Amino acid sequence: MSAREDCIVTGDRITPANNSKAHVIPSALGGRLKPKDILSRVGNGILDDKFDYPLIEAFQAIMNLIGGSADRSKSTIETRMQGEDGKIFVFSFGEHLTPLRHEFVEEEVGNETRFTIAARTLKEAKTLLGRIKKKHPQFDIDEAMKHAITEHRWPEGPLHLNMQMGPRILFPWAFTAAAVFATYHGQAVPPGFHTYVDRFDLDAPTLPPDTFFFMPQSRWIEAAGEVTHRLALVGDPTKGRMLFYAELFDAFGVGVTWQFDGDEPVCETYAVDVIAGKEIPVTVDMPMIMAMPWAATHKLGDTELYKRTTDRIGRLMQVSVKRQFDREVEDALTRAWGPIDGRRLRPEDWVRLLEEFAKLTENIWTNPAVTPDIRARMIEGFAEVSANIAQKVPVPFRAAFGQLLNPLQDRLVRIHRAATAREASAAV
């Protein structure tokens, strides 16, 4: 496409000075396709403000939970969750859950003034202690810091995450993405595109024409990746229709259709592995998609839509947990062994590693969502890993290795039994 073409949003002539990259899928959500010669800077800004930014705000929690690779920025996206008591917590992939704000409580108890501080970092703790020193110059900050306790504690009760993923955000974005992707491949934009963009109001969004949930039971489009975004543009001369399909995070599928006057079938695709941050090949079963009715497979409020969405989000949560655990295991390896530098591992190196794994297991168990069954399976897993490591220890040292190892497993069993007893008592 020539840079002398007009912007599909504003109608202005595209010049080298105003030519802008069109993000079909927002870069902040892992999109890598950024064609030029489609949008002017002004036109791109309009699509960003009205359609892309609301989509980013709706889905950035998922990006954060799975540790997705955002192309726009290397900065971490924070996700906010609310506890049962109304407190807000911040989650970033690979980091501990932390309160949004610190706590500083001053209260009079008899003839004493009592201060309670809950800081998110040691640096913040020192700053808060400085507030006490201003009132009490004799107060020793360094001495107080010696008594500071560092802990990572889960909030009581479930955390609530607000994610707006309905058609009011998905459908308008998909409609405009269809126009950009179609233009990129030399096809006409959906009818009414210009009017829809011009009249769209974020405060009172209207749904675009011929846009719907499209999630057939049969998988007609495939892309090999742990978590993917997929796009397809399919033109069927027999139907006389064009179909644009967008699937985000392997979970949310939306279709857009409009008139197609071509004589030959069209099939254009794009997919990206959201975690790896790389474009990946796409396979489309053309006979299957051509035979399908291009119409809504689900409507808002359908039980099946709710179940499907819940199942897909559940799978994303499993990916998140696995990736978080893998990262923590890597950190445990670093703490236990440091740089290996080609040295031969000794029995005490393996013991240090299992000590770190035991600490990691105990930390995971502080999560209120962990059930007795999960703890029992993790103990079995710890025992299996320990047995495998024992086989790496020279035979003469295995008895001594077992004597060092057994207390770790015994401690996990005691913690599990005590927690199970507490939970059973609380349930009565």
Side-chain angles (χ1 to χ4, degrees), residues 106 121 136-137 215 243 245 323 378:
E106 179 180 353
T121 63
H136 306 277
M215 293 176 276
L243 170 70
Y245 175 75
R323 282 175 53 74
M378 291 185 72

Side-chain angles (χ1 to χ4, degrees), residues 91-373:
F91 172 79
S92 298
F93 183 80
E95 303 294 335
H96 290 287
L97 188 72
T98 57
L100 178 63
R101 298 179 178 86
H102 64 258
E103 292 184 18
F104 185 94
V105 179
E106 179 180 353
E107 55 184 346
E108 301 297 329
V109 181
N111 296 325
E112 298 179 341
T113 302
R114 182 176 298 171
F115 295 92
T116 303
I117 292 175
R120 294 162 294 183
T121 63
L122 291 176
K123 181 179 179 181
E124 185 177 67
K126 276 194 169 185
T127 301
L128 295 174
L129 290 172
R131 291 166 60 176
I132 300 177
K133 189 171 181 66
K134 285 184 178 179
K135 291 187 175 182
H136 306 277
Q138 74 282 7
F139 180 73
D140 189 333
I141 294 178
D142 292 334
E143 181 63 28
M145 287 297 296
K146 293 178 182 178
H147 301 281
I149 299 174
T150 302
E151 63 178 359
H152 303 289
R153 185 169 49 188
W154 286 87
E156 293 294 332
L159 293 171
H160 301 279
L161 177 63
N162 184 25
M163 293 190 288
Q164 301 292 333
M165 302 175 182
R168 286 161 59 93
I169 291 175
L170 268 173
F171 288 12
W173 167 79
F175 187 71
T176 57
V180 173
F181 198 62
T183 302
Y184 174 57
H185 289 291
Q187 301 294 331
V189 302
F193 168 72
H194 304 91
T195 301
Y196 181 76
V197 171
D198 184 58
R199 295 179 179 177
F200 187 80
D201 183 355
L202 273 173
D203 295 326
T206 55
L207 298 184
D210 298 315
T211 305
F212 43 84
F213 286 118
F214 190 62
M215 293 176 276
Q217 290 292 331
S218 301
R219 295 293 291 176
W220 61 275
I221 180 170
E222 297 288 352
E226 193 168 10
V227 178
T228 69
H229 298 319
R230 311 174 192 192
L231 304 177
L233 186 70
V234 179
D236 185 349
T238 303
K239 283 186 172 75
R241 303 292 291 174
M242 180 75 79
L243 170 70
F244 170 76
Y245 175 75
E247 183 178 309
L248 300 180
F249 299 103
D250 299 327
F252 311 92
V254 179
V256 182
T257 65
W258 64 98
Q259 182 176 338
F260 174 61
D261 297 324
D263 298 325
E264 298 293 331
V266 170
C267 182
E268 305 288 354
T269 61
Y270 171 79
V272 61
D273 185 321
V274 183
I275 292 176
K278 296 180 179 179
E279 185 175 344
I280 54 178
V282 183
T283 302
V284 171
D285 188 327
M286 284 295 283
M288 181 183 293
I289 187 60
M290 293 292 199
M292 287 181 185
W294 293 356
T297 56
H298 304 79
K299 294 186 182 298
L300 192 63
D302 286 353
T303 303
E304 179 59 29
L305 176 62
Y306 176 79
K307 181 180 181 302
R308 182 187 179 93
T309 303
T310 302
D311 289 346
R312 295 294 177 90
I313 292 178
R315 180 188 171 277
L316 292 171
M317 292 300 295
Q318 290 173 359
V319 171
S320 173
V321 170
K322 181 181 181 301
R323 282 175 53 74
Q324 289 278 358
F325 183 76
D326 289 346
R327 180 165 178 157
E328 290 179 357
V329 167
E330 289 180 8
D331 292 342
L333 284 167
T334 301
R335 291 193 300 270
W337 293 347
I340 299 299
D341 298 331
R343 64 182 171 86
R344 192 171 189 176
L345 294 173
R346 299 166 298 178
E348 52 266 38
D349 292 320
W350 292 106
V351 172
R352 280 198 299 271
L353 176 62
L354 289 170
E355 287 173 345
E356 290 294 339
F357 282 177
K359 291 177 185 176
L360 173 59
T361 300
E362 290 180 38
N363 183 53
I364 292 172
W365 287 359
T366 62
N367 186 335
V370 173
T371 64
D373 287 343

Side-chain angles (χ1 to χ4, degrees), residues 20 39-50 53:
S20 183
L39 296 172
S40 66
R41 292 184 185 276
V42 173
N44 207 352
I46 291 171
L47 294 190
D48 281 347
D49 292 341
K50 290 188 174 185
Y53 291 156

